[in-house]
Amino acid sequence: METTSVSSSSSDFSSETHWEMAAKTKMGKYLTRLETDFISRSLDLSQENLSVMDVGAEAGRFSLLPQNSKARVVSIDINAYALRRLKQKSRHVNIILADARNLPLKDGIFDVVFMIEVLDYIPELDQALGECMRTLKPEASAVLSFGNKSSIKAHLKAIQGKSYRHSYGEMMRCISKTEFTIKRKLGYSWVPFGRTSQSSLVPILSALEKIFGLRRIVRYSPWVIMHITRHSRTMKPV
């Protein structure tokens, strides 16, 4: 399934990408650990013949999660270099250079779709969710995350000329227009540091985030992660 649009030349792919390096920071480790734990609690990736699509896979933080099963993993990204880095890590992963808003794949072929930390870079939320839904089998699952424009952290970022792209309300409205049902959601990243922070306070503050129940305040959380499932095609409205 690997497309010819990703060059197969013998170029040097030894240098880590920005996001690979970011994942090794204290903030990156906290975020990856929480997101991975959410996925493992929401989905059974040990099933045989599982078909998984990782949209915005980059160099493969989540594409490699089903490695111990007989899953068929398709990793999508617009960064050809990152996809080649991923292919070096696992020859079993199928890489496709493509945009999340226009996936070159058939309808209803995946059991699981990941869209982790990618929706912040896509203005057309309806298109991205529509493509996710289209490629999922009926009653199959997706896990997605996004930065919440409604959060206090987002407002503070806006003062610095930065912000998140989508609000919690916008995400909920988009989901309500699709065939998706929300099964589980969690708020996180209340830790007041940037994505690549190496602050020694990150582990302490992330523990306090959990202890004080901030992750349950999803509507106002800086980041939100959700487990959603596609309705059966035969489902009739109540």
Side-chain angles (χ1 to χ4, degrees):
M1 189 171 289
E2 182 181 343
T3 63
T4 55
S5 55
V6 180
S7 172
S8 58
S9 67
S10 57
S11 301
D12 179 15
F13 297 100
S14 60
S15 298
E16 290 186 322
T17 67
H18 167 77
W19 294 114
E20 284 180 289
M21 291 186 285
K24 293 180 178 180
T25 64
K26 286 184 171 61
M27 190 70 175
K29 288 178 180 178
Y30 145 67
L31 294 170
T32 300
R33 183 169 57 248
L34 185 146
E35 290 158 351
T36 301
D37 180 68
F38 184 91
I39 290 171
S40 66
R41 290 174 181 270
S42 302
L43 307 171
D44 180 9
L45 298 179
S46 66
Q47 302 173 57
E48 291 191 6
N49 302 316
L50 195 72
S51 55
V52 180
M53 178 171 63
D54 185 7
V55 180
E58 222 268 343
R61 278 192 303 156
F62 303 104
S63 293
L64 301 177
L65 286 182
Q67 283 289 80
N68 294 327
S69 71
K70 295 181 180 179
R72 179 174 62 92
V73 180
V74 176
S75 300
I76 309 287
D77 207 280
I78 58 172
N79 186 331
Y81 180 88
L83 289 177
R84 281 297 177 188
R85 288 276 302 165
L86 171 55
K87 194 66 175 178
Q88 286 183 334
K89 297 175 186 179
S90 174
R91 61 185 179 84
H92 300 294
V93 173
N94 301 284
I95 58 174
I96 298 180
L97 188 68
D99 192 295
R101 294 162 290 191
N102 186 23
L103 298 172
L105 296 161
K106 295 179 181 179
D107 296 357
I109 58 174
F110 291 106
D111 299 298
V112 173
V113 169
F114 298 146
M115 299 186 79
I116 310 294
E117 296 184 38
V118 66
L119 293 174
D120 295 304
Y121 302 95
I122 303 174
E124 299 84 3
L125 187 57
D126 285 327
Q127 282 182 246
L129 288 179
E131 284 292 270
C132 173
M133 183 183 70
R134 179 183 67 78
T135 54
L136 274 172
K137 298 175 182 177
E139 301 183 13
S141 292
V143 175
L144 59 87
S145 73
F146 62 97
N148 181 11
K149 197 173 182 178
S150 306
S151 65
I152 295 175
K153 192 172 184 178
H155 292 306
L156 293 175
K157 286 170 68 71
I159 296 173
Q160 303 171 335
K162 306 174 183 178
S163 186
Y164 298 127
R165 189 176 292 277
H166 307 294
S167 68
Y168 178 83
E170 181 186 1
M171 180 64 68
M172 296 300 287
R173 286 192 294 274
C174 284
I175 290 176
S176 70
K177 292 188 291 185
T178 67
E179 297 174 13
F180 283 126
T181 297
I182 298 174
K183 304 294 288 186
R184 183 168 173 252
K185 53 188 175 181
L186 190 73
Y188 64 119
S189 195
W190 290 84
V191 179
F193 300 118
R195 183 68 178 75
T196 58
S197 175
Q198 285 282 31
S199 172
S200 59
L201 293 176
V202 170
I204 298 170
L205 294 177
S206 63
L208 291 175
E209 171 187 273
K210 182 177 181 181
I211 291 170
F212 288 106
L214 295 178
R215 294 176 185 172
R216 295 194 294 271
I217 310 174
V218 181
R219 177 179 292 274
Y220 300 108
S221 289
W223 285 14
V224 177
I225 188 166
M226 294 182 175
H227 170 208
I228 58 180
T229 58
R230 181 177 179 179
H231 302 164
S232 169
R233 293 180 189 274
T234 58
M235 177 178 285
K236 296 181 179 179
V238 177

